[in-house]
Amino acid sequence: MAKRIDVSDLDIYYGKFLAVQGVTVSIEPRSVTALIGPSGCGKSTFLRSINRMHEVLPGARVEGKVVMDGQDLYSADVDPVDVRRQIGMVFQRPNPFPTMSIYDNVAAGLRLNNKQTKKADLDDLVERSLRGANLWNEVKDRLDRPGSSLSGGQQQRLCIARAIAVEPDVLLMDEPCSALDPISTLAIEDLMTELKERFTIVIVTHNMQQAARVSESTGFFNLNGVGQPGRLIEFNPTEKIFSNPDEKATEDYISGRFG
Amino acid sequence: MTATRTPSDQSTSRPLRRPGDRIFAGTAKAAGISILVVLAGVAAFLVVEAVPAVTAPSGEIPGGEGLVGYIAPLLFGTLLSAAIALVVATPLAVAIALFITHYAPRRVAAGLGYVVDLLAAIPSIVYGFWGVYWLAPKLVPLFRWLEENLGFIPFFAGPTSSTGRTMLTVGLVLAIMILPIISAISREVFLQVPTLHKEAALALGATRWEMIRMAVIPYGKSGIIGGSMLGLGRALGETMAVALVLSVSGGITLNLISSANPGTIAANVALEFPESTGLDVNTLIASGLALFVITLAVNMLARWVVNRRADFSGAN
């Protein structure tokens, strides 16, 4: 439950290309940490390196350490599959499995981890997860319908339910609201505030108001130019980042005087 | 729907259409209709030519047991050989497609895909020769073993054919012939599985095989079925390879390894047609009509299977 993540001197490569350089940061449990910065600065790459999703792409690798409660996630004896079972992820575009019902989508992760679950327990868990994602009341009468029959905002909450159903320690969210309308966005932001009681949440967002609304800490990523690696410029409590940042680049970015 | 309508939808005047659009729509419509016309023409020909055989007294039909007695073993042989081919080829083709799309290194994958496609370019008579002169003799020891050890299953009751020209051999030759079709179509749909869905499975902590089971195969299911149906169509209609390989004598039997096999409709037509006249020709055409109807029914069944869960197809 809700573990702490310490990243030290993390360099992330795609083949020979150094995409992100020298990230050192501590992510507190039971809080929302927001990552902001311009497009292509490596926020998403960094986020995906936390649960080893970036190495799905051929040639992608990291140097440095990502430690979760004392365990180095990149040590040789750690299976990335196990890492991903502990660190859940919600993607930019809602991606429920189109071939599965709403129920099966939520149960998918549990069926992977534990094949022998009683039907009643599974029902229970599906309800709990959907309630956790504030979606239960909207879908309880049509759990056997395909996940793709829901609206975009509902699909994204379904994806959140699917991610939290396996009780991960950490929840990563990669621009979870960028494809959603303001009302759905608000629903997800409210949800994040509830979920941080139980999980460590890291969110990448392009919406600075969103970062200011939901997060306790904010990291600002930037890069010096095209082809240069992205860097973590500043990491501070959100309040400080948005009122009195240490770095001039951060201030320029959040006040719109950028580029 | 409750969506707001634009004023032009409500007016009775036809919407403005550009000549290019009209020409293209017309051409496409004509192409679509031409398929129906050809199909209707073939069906009409088959029905008209089959009528004399249907109305003839049963004693005049070759074999002397009436039209049903003539066609039934052929139909059975056709369906049995095609079923063997499908049962063998589909899992193999799907496995090949999965290997090419998800496991093989890129260079191997391209080469292997090319080789599988090449199988489709070999003429069926070559498969026939290969089946008779190479595969059939090689299979005889296997058939003997099956008879000795699994003889209690009706399929392998024996006595084993000494030439190997059996229903099972035909089924295997047909399986190799339809492999490239099923594999190519499965490969295409597996490649189209959105990265989003694959990443969703991986992010839940799925291994590669679990990811394939959760995201890739369900998404590609309609493609696998569609490819299988195309393969089945080829297996049902295959003529030369079956005519060369199968040793025909006898009627309906489930025994796959003996030398007494029912023929298949297409091969029977090819073998009998040159020496047929009059009512014999009508009888052959009537068997062709039966094949036509069966193929149509199988395709409609497959379409029904695919559409039954269209909501879950992933296409929406």
Side-chain angles (χ1 to χ4, degrees):
Chain A
M1 283 278 94
K3 288 186 177 167
R4 167 193 180 86
I5 293 176
D6 292 292
V7 179
S8 45
D9 291 325
L10 192 70
D11 295 338
I12 308 174
Y13 294 86
Y14 290 110
K16 286 201 177 95
F17 175 65
L18 179 59
V20 177
Q21 187 177 30
V23 175
T24 299
V25 67
S26 286
I27 294 165
E28 295 297 322
R30 290 193 182 74
S31 73
V32 177
T33 301
L35 305 175
I36 59 170
S39 293
C41 68
K43 334 177 272 298
S44 290
T45 298
F46 170 67
L47 190 80
R48 288 166 64 94
S49 73
I50 296 178
N51 70 343
R52 298 187 66 168
M53 271 302 286
H54 82 294
E55 62 195 69
V56 168
L57 299 170
R61 64 196 170 84
V62 305
E63 286 169 11
K65 273 188 169 175
V66 179
V67 178
M68 183 168 76
D69 272 12
Q71 158 123 61
D72 183 358
L73 301 181
Y74 279 94
S75 82
D77 57 345
V78 171
D79 184 349
V81 167
D82 292 330
V83 173
R84 294 177 202 138
R85 287 185 184 186
Q86 294 170 60
I87 306 181
M89 188 158 198
V90 176
F91 294 82
Q92 183 172 359
R93 280 183 49 209
N95 56 354
F97 296 117
T99 53
M100 292 187 197
S101 66
I102 293 171
Y103 183 99
D104 288 337
N105 260 287
V106 181
L110 198 82
R111 288 192 173 132
L112 279 182
N113 291 318
N114 184 358
K115 318 272 187 235
Q116 308 293 329
T117 311
K118 283 197 204 109
K119 177 85 172 83
D121 292 347
L122 205 57
D123 287 351
D124 199 42
L125 179 108
V126 167
E127 177 173 348
R128 197 151 23 99
S129 304
L130 284 169
R131 280 190 193 282
N134 287 338
L135 190 61
W136 175 251
N137 287 329
E138 291 157 66
V139 302
K140 63 183 174 196
D141 300 322
R142 45 175 172 153
L143 292 174
D144 57 343
R145 299 293 304 144
S148 47
S149 66
L150 301 173
S151 75
Q154 289 172 325
Q155 286 189 22
Q156 194 62 299
R157 277 179 284 152
L158 178 60
C159 293
I160 293 174
R162 180 176 67 189
I164 63 178
V166 293
E167 296 285 332
D169 303 311
V170 178
L171 197 56
L172 307 177
M173 302 175 123
D174 189 358
E175 299 183 45
C177 304
S178 64
L180 305 182
D181 68 284
I183 293 172
S184 304
T185 300
L186 192 66
I188 297 215
E189 287 181 10
D190 288 346
L191 182 56
M192 275 187 253
T193 319
E194 289 171 27
L195 291 175
K196 74 177 177 193
E197 309 288 324
R198 295 157 58 203
F199 305 102
T200 306
I201 297 180
V202 186
I203 173 176
V204 165
T205 178
H206 273 293
N207 180 333
M208 281 178 279
Q209 286 79 18
Q210 182 171 61
R213 281 193 298 265
V214 300
S215 70
E216 274 76 36
S217 309
T218 299
F220 171 60
F221 278 80
N222 203 355
L223 71 177
N224 292 330
V226 176
Q228 301 285 313
R231 292 164 177 279
L232 179 61
I233 303 294
E234 179 171 355
F235 188 84
N236 265 320
T238 301
E239 218 166 278
K240 182 165 168 53
I241 288 263
F242 284 96
S243 58
N244 182 24
D246 289 336
E247 299 289 330
K248 175 114 181 16
T250 315
E251 189 173 359
D252 287 352
Y253 182 73
I254 59 171
S255 59
R257 284 197 306 273
F258 185 72
Chain B
M1 296 298 278
T2 54
T4 35
R5 286 168 169 251
T6 51
S8 66
D9 284 342
Q10 289 165 335
S11 66
T12 49
S13 68
R14 289 167 63 96
L16 180 73
R17 291 183 65 194
R18 290 172 189 279
D21 266 355
R22 275 211 297 273
I23 292 168
F24 181 75
T27 320
K29 197 188 280 177
I33 290 171
S34 70
I35 268 290
L36 290 177
V37 170
V38 169
L39 199 64
V42 171
F45 163 80
L46 287 174
V47 169
V48 168
E49 293 292 318
V51 165
V54 175
T55 53
S58 60
E60 289 176 25
I61 302 288
E65 290 171 20
L67 191 61
V68 174
Y70 182 79
I71 293 179
L74 294 174
L75 196 55
F76 178 81
T78 307
L79 291 175
L80 185 61
S81 60
I84 297 171
L86 208 56
V87 165
V88 173
T90 305
L92 199 58
V94 170
I96 291 172
L98 280 178
F99 178 72
I100 289 174
T101 53
H102 285 89
Y103 285 93
R106 196 165 297 176
R107 232 182 269 170
V108 178
L112 192 61
Y114 183 70
V115 169
V116 174
D117 288 346
L118 209 61
L119 281 179
I122 299 174
S124 59
I125 192 147
V126 174
Y127 279 109
F129 282 130
W130 176 76
V132 171
Y133 292 117
W134 193 88
L135 186 64
K138 295 254 187 312
L139 285 175
V140 172
L142 172 71
F143 293 163
R144 292 230 164 83
W145 184 89
L146 286 172
E147 185 194 353
E148 277 164 28
N149 295 286
L150 297 170
F152 57 90
I153 303 172
F155 294 137
F156 309 124
T160 304
S161 157
S162 58
T163 56
R165 294 170 59 185
T166 69
M167 191 51 95
L168 191 53
T169 311
V170 168
L172 292 177
V173 171
L174 288 177
I176 295 166
M177 293 176 72
I178 66 176
L179 197 64
I181 299 178
I182 306 176
S183 161
I185 291 178
S186 304
R187 196 176 64 204
E188 288 309 310
V189 292
F190 291 159
L191 283 175
Q192 280 167 18
V193 178
T195 312
L196 266 177
H197 301 323
K198 293 195 277 188
E199 289 195 337
L202 290 174
L204 279 176
T207 61
R208 185 151 28 169
W209 167 234
E210 287 167 335
M211 180 270 281
I212 285 171
R213 254 186 13 215
M214 278 173 104
V216 177
I217 290 180
Y219 189 91
K221 201 179 68 180
S222 61
I224 297 172
I225 294 177
S228 304
M229 287 308 119
L230 281 179
L232 181 63
R234 183 167 186 200
L236 287 172
E238 179 47 43
T239 309
M240 283 322 294
V242 178
L244 281 176
V245 172
L246 194 60
S247 134
V248 179
S249 67
I252 295 176
T253 170
L254 281 175
N255 193 343
L256 303 181
I257 58 170
S258 79
S259 53
N261 301 289
T264 74
I265 290 175
N268 181 62
V269 171
L271 292 172
E272 302 291 331
F273 191 77
E275 284 145 41
S276 296
T277 49
L279 192 60
D280 296 353
V281 174
N282 296 118
T283 310
L284 291 178
I285 290 176
S287 73
L289 180 63
L291 181 60
F292 183 79
V293 170
I294 288 289
T295 311
L296 209 62
V298 166
N299 271 302
M300 286 167 77
L301 184 74
R303 188 148 293 209
W304 177 75
V305 168
V306 171
N307 284 344
R308 212 166 31 126
R309 278 171 61 89
D311 287 353
F312 289 90
S313 70
N316 40 3

